[in-house]
Amino acid sequence: MRRDSRLSVALHVLLHMEDMGGVVTSEVMGRLLKANPVVVRRTMAGLRKAGILTSVKGHGGGWSLARTLDTVTLGDVYVALGTPALFGIGPRDESPGCLVEQVVNRSLQESLDEAAALLMQRLHGTTVADLGRRVRRSQPRTAKKRGRSVSPFP
């Protein structure tokens, strides 16, 4: 089963955009992410609709942050992407005639619902800026000791 990596891509893009400042083109982001600029644009379009990004067409255009990342939660980004499936497991048959399979399905669904609620609580409780702070704390100490300001973003 193929994983949906749009949330990871979107968060990666937002953190790079904050670090770069100003307007960033899909082509530049595509090179940074080693991804097709069309895929980057599709991912960013949902963020624009949600008011997280703005875009300008034409020469000198591109994408920019519409909000500061301390006001954007991981849950906001997830919702902006259209709430992709959280889990890749589920029942074999949605409406089984077998009593055993009905009990199995009900039990699995209850567990998945609880896990989804917990995950959404965590996503809505973490801002994208929180991730940026984690990145900056992870940068090599040798660069800090030498007094150089080294961006943790490649």
Side-chain angles (χ1 to χ4, degrees):
M1 177 191 230
R2 187 175 159 95
R3 287 191 226 181
D4 185 333
S5 62
R6 290 178 295 159
L7 180 57
S8 177
V9 168
L11 295 170
H12 194 160
V13 164
L14 291 172
L15 289 166
H16 275 296
M17 288 181 72
E18 180 184 51
D19 190 57
M20 296 167 78
V23 177
V24 182
T25 66
S26 303
E27 288 72 21
V28 168
M29 293 311 300
R31 281 193 302 273
L32 282 170
L33 299 169
K34 296 180 177 90
N36 187 314
V38 174
V39 173
V40 174
R41 275 192 291 279
R42 283 187 196 140
T43 300
M44 296 169 94
L47 301 177
R48 181 185 57 223
K49 289 178 189 168
I52 297 169
L53 294 178
T54 59
S55 65
V56 176
K57 293 182 180 183
H59 183 69
W63 301 88
S64 59
L65 296 172
R67 295 167 42 191
T68 61
L69 296 185
D70 61 343
T71 67
V72 180
T73 69
L74 278 59
D76 296 333
V77 176
Y78 170 77
V79 171
L81 295 172
T83 61
L86 290 172
F87 307 111
I89 61 173
R92 182 179 68 91
D93 184 352
E94 294 287 336
S95 302
C98 174
L99 181 59
V100 171
E101 194 167 2
Q102 290 173 15
V103 170
V104 167
N105 286 359
R106 200 167 26 256
S107 178
L108 283 175
Q109 193 58 55
E110 288 169 1
S111 295
L112 289 170
D113 290 346
E114 287 176 31
L118 180 59
L119 179 56
M120 291 308 299
Q121 180 182 10
R122 293 288 303 268
L123 292 177
H124 283 292
T126 305
T127 67
V128 180
D130 292 334
L131 298 184
R133 283 187 284 279
R134 289 182 198 169
V135 170
R136 284 173 179 80
R137 279 195 305 261
S138 298
Q139 83 183 56
R141 296 203 185 277
T142 55
K144 289 180 186 176
K145 285 181 183 176
R146 292 184 200 143
R148 294 190 326 211
S149 177
V150 177
S151 174
F153 300 94

